[in-house]
Amino acid sequence: MAGVEISEEEEQVATGKEAALSEADRERIRQAVHTAEQQTRAEIVPMIVARSGLYRDAQHWAGLITALTTLAVLLTVEASWIPWGWHASNAAWLVLAVTLAYLAGTWIGTWPPIIRLLTSPNRLSHKVALRAERAFAQHAISQTRERTGVLILLSMLERQIYVLPDRSLAGLVSAERWKQVVQAAIERLQRGDIVEGLTHAIAASGVVLADACPAGSGDNLNELSDQVIDER
């Protein structure tokens, strides 16, 4: 299997609010898949997920940063809150304040912007790749007759698109051409239009697959559902 993603060093996908897809949106995506598959034996599966990883380490780092910042501030201004010297109760209040700051920080560490800030681009991309591979197996995308399934995964938290073709397509389509599929969606996704971005990625995939894996003169079965998989 091979995948292509848009990285942090390239263009961010500003997907905005995670609004639910309407029936009209789902039908637009379904129709885009149906149209793209008319010229190819391949099967295109679009998918949207809220996130590709839990990133608990980001919560820990946010908590630690908040706790250490709180401790530094309290020690810097200690003269104002312990003017008569240290007592056991002062230490207890200090420990309590730092503990509460850590807990508050771990909660802040669940916010998507904070997760992206505290997680390296490589780790985000790796998580998206793993999520795509898991979805590929989970939804039986590899079970087509000629192993010609293609997953187009949009991961909201990471703001990345990942294209994962089955192994039979790996030698037929270069990574550069899959990257062009991603680029076809970027401009629309940057405006927060998920449906428009996905339909453009699907259409671009259809063009690529029509060259690499054109539909034959015989029966072109629709082996996988054309409906978008929305797991948000």
Side-chain angles (χ1 to χ4, degrees), residues 1 41-43 136 140-150 165-170 172 213 223:
M1 296 181 185
R41 302 190 308 277
E43 296 289 323
F136 206 91
I141 299 173
S142 62
Q143 300 305 309
T144 59
R145 291 177 301 178
E146 299 181 53
R147 301 295 299 269
T148 53
V150 176
D166 209 337
R167 63 183 60 177
S168 69
L169 296 171
L172 299 177
C213 183
E223 299 179 75

Side-chain angles (χ1 to χ4, degrees), residues 8 12 14-15 31 35 56 59 65 81 136 141 145 156 158-159 182 209:
E8 290 283 332
Q12 286 276 336
T15 49
Q31 188 60 45
T35 301
R56 292 192 179 95
Q59 293 178 251
I65 291 169
W81 62 282
F136 206 91
I141 299 173
R145 291 177 301 178
M156 302 290 287
E158 292 83 1
R159 295 181 170 180
V182 173
L209 293 167

Side-chain angles (χ1 to χ4, degrees), residues 13-227:
V13 179
T15 49
K17 299 289 184 181
E18 296 183 15
L21 295 176
S22 67
E23 287 303 317
D25 291 336
R26 291 177 180 276
E27 178 57 25
R28 279 184 63 195
I29 296 171
R30 189 203 66 78
Q31 188 60 45
V33 174
H34 177 75
T35 301
E37 290 180 351
Q38 295 306 298
Q39 304 302 317
T40 177
R41 302 190 308 277
E43 296 289 323
I44 301 170
V45 180
M47 183 174 181
I48 307 172
V49 296
R51 60 198 297 160
S52 293
L54 295 177
Y55 306 107
R56 292 192 179 95
D57 52 336
Q59 293 178 251
H60 168 71
W61 281 112
L64 188 61
I65 291 169
T66 306
L68 291 177
T69 301
T70 300
L71 178 61
V73 170
L74 290 176
L75 291 179
T76 300
V77 298
E78 65 175 306
S80 64
W81 62 282
I82 49 173
W84 301 290
W86 274 90
H87 300 286
S89 60
N90 297 137
W93 281 111
L94 186 63
V95 170
L96 178 61
V98 171
T99 301
L100 291 175
Y102 177 82
L103 294 175
T106 58
W107 174 69
I108 293 172
T110 63
W111 299 354
I114 302 301
I115 291 174
R116 289 191 292 270
L117 178 65
L118 297 177
T119 307
S120 71
N122 286 340
R123 179 168 166 77
L124 292 172
S125 296
H126 180 65
K127 286 292 187 179
V128 174
L130 291 178
R131 183 68 182 88
E133 291 173 7
R134 188 165 71 251
F136 206 91
Q138 179 184 357
H139 296 284
I141 299 173
S142 62
Q143 300 305 309
T144 59
R145 291 177 301 178
E146 299 181 53
R147 301 295 299 269
T148 53
V150 176
L151 174 67
I152 301 176
L153 176 72
L154 171 59
S155 193
M156 302 290 287
L157 183 146
E158 292 83 1
R159 295 181 170 180
Q160 291 188 12
I161 307 174
Y162 197 91
V163 180
L164 184 60
D166 209 337
R167 63 183 60 177
S168 69
L169 296 171
L172 299 177
V173 182
S174 67
E176 185 60 34
R177 292 207 70 184
W178 288 125
K179 192 170 184 178
Q180 291 171 8
V181 171
V182 173
Q183 293 291 351
I186 291 300
E187 182 180 345
R188 281 81 183 176
L189 289 167
Q190 285 181 321
R191 297 199 297 260
D193 194 337
I194 295 174
V195 177
E196 193 71 14
L198 270 180
T199 54
H200 273 74
I202 292 165
S205 294
V207 173
V208 169
L209 293 167
D211 290 338
C213 183
S217 57
D219 187 20
N220 185 14
L221 291 177
N222 188 21
E223 299 179 75
L224 299 175
S225 172
D226 294 342
Q227 294 290 344

